[in-house]
Amino acid sequence: MAALLYFLSCVPAPFALLYVPNTLIVRGDAAATANNIRDAEGLLRAGMGVELYSATVAIFAMFAFYHLFKAVSQKHAMAMMVLFLISIPISYLNLLNDLAALTFARSPAFLAAVFDKAQLDAFVLFFLRLHNQGVILAQIFWGLWLFPFGIAVMRSGFIPRFVGIATIVGGAGYVISSSVSLFLPPSAKGIADLATLLGMGELAFLWLLIWGAKDQPVTTAALA
């Protein structure tokens, strides 16, 4: 059930985090980007809705994972839940950047009286790029929570150890990719791309989704 909730939160995320920005944002062209927003306002709003949905369902997934692993290690179960939940308000507040971009694209009278069209278009691109930076910031915590999760899995005895190892590798990929994007110059983009491949380790969650956990008392695993 925990894996199912997490899966339901993750499946639509690429639409909001990859498809929508890649469709609407024209790199280096604020006017074209603003025109895309005006022509496809519904697409941007759909992306916002998906982000809200994913973040909200993930909250319940974290509570389910905490319930699953608290008997294995209260410390690691709490750490993984807290680390992921830190990303939730970041994701929620980050949507304000999309709303700001949408407002500037509409060019309401109170803004048009102060800014010309080129300036309004520049603000649209600025806030969309700021939203992307917010996603990168949240991604740090999407990676950090996988470290205590992976440790709890390896200690559990009712989930194969390779799942824990793979998720730790995936978490490292998220953290490295985000850190490179935020703190290193664009010339280091290749490192971020390589680290993103490590993030594929998170696919080990499919094991939990398909096969679940072995029916084995936690106390027996702990004693072993």
Side-chain angles (χ1 to χ4, degrees):
M1 181 58 68
L4 176 61
L5 288 170
Y6 190 67
F7 179 76
L8 291 175
S9 74
C10 292
V11 165
F15 170 79
L17 303 180
L18 297 176
Y19 176 76
V20 172
N22 288 339
T23 300
L24 296 178
I25 297 176
V26 180
R27 185 179 298 273
D29 193 335
T33 300
N35 287 332
N36 287 341
I37 297 296
R38 297 183 189 103
D39 295 337
E41 178 180 326
L43 179 62
L44 180 60
R45 290 189 178 277
M48 294 166 58
V50 168
E51 284 191 62
L52 283 173
Y53 162 82
S54 294
T56 303
V57 175
I59 295 174
F60 296 97
M62 290 305 108
F63 284 125
F65 277 125
Y66 172 78
H67 179 74
L68 178 64
F69 291 112
K70 65 180 180 180
V72 175
S73 172
Q74 177 82 15
K75 177 177 65 176
H76 290 96
M78 180 63 70
M80 71 180 185
M81 183 174 67
V82 170
L83 285 171
F84 191 95
L85 292 181
I86 290 174
S87 73
I88 300 299
I90 297 175
S91 297
Y92 284 159
L93 292 173
N94 197 31
L95 292 177
L96 293 175
N97 290 313
D98 280 346
L99 288 173
L102 190 57
T103 301
F104 279 103
R106 287 177 167 180
S107 303
F110 71 93
L111 288 176
V114 181
F115 305 105
D116 59 34
K117 184 178 183 302
Q119 291 172 322
L120 291 170
D121 291 348
F123 277 120
V124 172
L125 181 57
F126 168 76
F127 280 108
L128 289 178
R129 294 185 64 177
L130 194 60
H131 174 267
N132 287 344
Q133 294 301 308
V135 171
I136 293 173
L137 178 61
Q139 186 174 278
I140 291 178
F141 297 97
W142 297 344
L144 286 176
W145 86 278
L146 292 173
F147 289 95
F149 174 87
I151 294 172
V153 167
M154 289 189 289
R155 291 184 174 184
S156 68
F158 51 77
I159 298 173
R161 290 177 62 86
F162 84 85
V163 175
I165 296 171
T167 52
I168 290 175
V169 171
Y174 277 127
V175 174
I176 295 172
S177 175
S178 297
S179 299
V180 169
S181 297
L182 289 174
F183 306 119
L184 294 183
S187 58
K189 185 177 182 297
I191 300 176
D193 293 339
L194 178 61
T196 301
L197 295 177
L198 297 178
M200 299 296 288
E202 193 180 12
L203 292 176
F205 273 101
L206 291 175
W207 176 281
L208 291 176
L209 179 65
I210 298 172
W211 287 282
K214 293 188 297 183
D215 187 12
Q216 176 180 347
V218 177
T219 52
T220 302
L223 289 173

